[in-house]
Amino acid sequence: MSVIKPLPNEEVVLPAADSPASVRMTSEPWFLVRDKSPWTYYNKPITLIAIGGLVFFGGIILTALYFKYVSVPYALGPVCLSIGLMFLITGIVWMPIIKQTIRYNGSPPFYLLLMS
């Protein structure tokens, strides 16, 4: 049976004046150290939600126009509805996943770094 051991407190390491790399190790909790803005992590889900909402709303309008006997291709409204809903739900579900990942790990997972 494994026992979880706490990590020892780490000192703040300042890079040398001539060193190009800056490594920051600190004993502060992760929620006090904020290197990036939340937009860095949430830009893709928010973009998906915005695009999905617009396409879904466009599908509602196209479907309403079709049922009011305006000359609109009959499949365009339902296609926009389904694609918009898919984007909207994907973005909504993605937001708590990122929030939970950042809360427990302190940084985004590897697959989020690959997609940026």
Side-chain angles (χ1 to χ4, degrees), residues 13-78:
V13 178
L14 298 174
D18 57 350
S19 172
S22 63
V23 177
R24 187 165 110 173
M25 297 176 65
T26 178
S27 62
E28 296 175 357
W30 66 269
F31 53 85
L32 294 178
V33 178
R34 182 165 278 206
D35 291 336
K36 296 181 180 179
S37 71
W39 178 251
T40 306
Y41 302 118
Y42 293 113
N43 64 350
K44 292 174 186 149
I46 290 173
T47 305
L48 273 181
I49 291 170
I51 290 172
L54 289 173
V55 173
F56 184 72
F57 184 68
I60 290 172
I61 291 173
L62 288 171
T63 303
L65 287 175
Y66 174 75
F67 283 116
K68 292 291 182 181
Y69 301 108
V70 177
S71 178
V72 177
Y74 71 95
L76 189 58

